[in-house]
Amino acid sequence: MAAISSLRRLLTQKIRTPTGCLAYATHGNVVGQTEPKQPSFVGRHFLTLKDYNKREVEHLLWVAADLKTRIKTAEEKYKPLAGKTGALYFQKRSTRTRMSSEAGFSILGGHPLFLTDNDIHLGVNESMYDSAKVISRFVDFFLGRVYYHSDLEEFAEQASIPIINALSELYHPLQALADLQTLQEHYGSLKGLTLAWVGDGNNIINSLMMAAPKFGINLKIATPKDYGLESFVIDDCKKITKEHGTDLYITTDPMEACENANVIVTDTWISMGQEEEKLARLKAFQGYQVNKKMTEVASTDWCFLHCLPRKAEEVDDEVFYSDRSLVWDEAENRKWTVMAVMLTLLKDHVLKTPRPRF
C-alpha cells in the first residue's frame, strides 16, 4: 500500500519525462491531453519500418517513451502482458537484442522462451510452413534474429501470430526505432536534422532509410565502392523522401557526408557471416573511421551513434567516449522500443504521458 501511495503521489506531481517535457498527471491521466484515436497494431507483423507510416512509427516511439517514464522514472509496476508467452529465436548470438527483448518482455509480465538452432531447426527438420503453424499454437508472438529476411517473410505468411524482425541481413527495424528515440530525447525533435552514415551499406542504414525521412530527417550516406546500398532500398527511400520533403545524398566520401551533419552514425564493417571477407573489407574501408576530422566539419551540435559492438577501426576513442557520444542511451533504448513493439502487437496500450515532439 505504501508503494502504491508513493506512486500515486508521484503521478500527481510534475514528471520530467525522458523526452524532456514536463507532464502533469492525475491518477495517470495527463492534464489537457487531447489526442485523436491512436492506431492499433494488434496482430500485425513487424518486419520492416517500410510497412509503417509516419503516424504509426510516431506511436511506437510514444509508447516507448511512455513505458520508459512510467516504469523507469515513476517506478510503476506495469504488467499488461501477464500470461503471455513469446518465442525469441536467435540464429545469431546477441547481447543487446537478446537482453533487451528477454528482459523487456519479462518486465511487462510475459514469459520469454529463448531458442537457438540447438533447440529448433527452423525450416530444416520441418518445413517453414509446418513450423509456423505449430509455433503459432504455442506462443503469442515470434521474435526472430535470422540470417535471411526471406525466412521471416515466409514464416510470417503462414503464422497466425505477430512476427518481429530482431535482425535479418536486410533490415534491423528495432535498432532504427532505438536510434530515433535516442535522437528525439537528445534534440527534443527530429524534424530538420541531418544524419550522416559512414560505413557499410547494411541492414542498419537500410532501416534508417525506411524511417528517418518520415520525420523530416535528411540523409547523407557514405559507403565504400562495392559496399554500397541495394538499388531497391534506394528506390524505396527516394519515394519516402519525396513524400516527406527530405533529402537523400549518396557518396563515397565520408568527409562530404559529415559536412554540416547533426548526427554521425557508423556500424561494424564486418557483420556475422562475413568473417572470410575481413581483410578485403578492412582495406576497402580505409578512411572510414569516424574521428575528430569528421566531427570538425559536422554541425556544432553533432552527436554520435553506434549500435554496438564497436571496433576501434570504426570509430576512435576520442569520439566514441566523448560527451557527444549517445551510444549508452542508444543501447538502453533498445529495451524500451522492443517493449513498445511487443506490447502494441499484442494489445492496445493506454498512454499516460504527453506525446513527444517529433
Side-chain angles (χ1 to χ4, degrees), residues 57-77:
V57 182
E58 283 182 350
H59 184 69
L60 287 171
L61 293 174
W62 187 1
V63 173
D66 184 69
L67 293 174
K68 189 173 184 178
T69 297
R70 292 165 60 180
I71 296 173
K72 181 181 180 179
T73 305
E75 299 182 352
E76 179 180 345
K77 305 303 180 185

Side-chain angles (χ1 to χ4, degrees), residues 157-184:
E157 286 180 3
Q158 304 304 329
S160 57
I161 56 174
I163 308 303
I164 300 172
N165 178 7
L167 178 144
S168 68
E169 91 289 3
L170 189 55
Y171 295 115
H172 197 353
L174 292 174
Q175 182 63 56
L177 277 183
D179 291 353
L180 291 173
Q181 182 179 13
T182 304
L183 294 176
Q184 194 284 325

Side-chain angles (χ1 to χ4, degrees), residues 18-19 180-189 262 301-303 323-324 326 329:
T19 61
L180 291 173
Q181 182 179 13
T182 304
L183 294 176
Q184 194 284 325
E185 290 175 351
H186 181 69
Y187 288 106
S189 177
N262 306 100
D301 66 348
W302 68 270
C303 72
D323 59 3
R324 300 295 190 93
L326 306 181
D329 292 335

Side-chain angles (χ1 to χ4, degrees), residues 63-123:
V63 173
D66 184 69
L67 293 174
K68 189 173 184 178
T69 297
R70 292 165 60 180
I71 296 173
K72 181 181 180 179
T73 305
E75 299 182 352
E76 179 180 345
K77 305 303 180 185
Y78 183 52
K79 307 288 183 181
L81 298 183
K84 300 292 186 182
T85 302
L88 314 180
Y89 174 63
F90 286 69
Q91 290 181 340
K92 295 183 176 185
R93 66 185 183 274
S94 167
T95 299
R96 280 147 295 278
T97 303
R98 178 182 176 179
M99 293 188 68
S100 62
S101 56
E102 193 166 347
F105 191 47
S106 298
I107 289 169
L108 293 173
H111 177 69
L113 296 174
F114 178 73
L115 303 168
T116 70
D117 277 342
N118 293 324
D119 304 298
I120 60 173
H121 289 90
L122 199 64

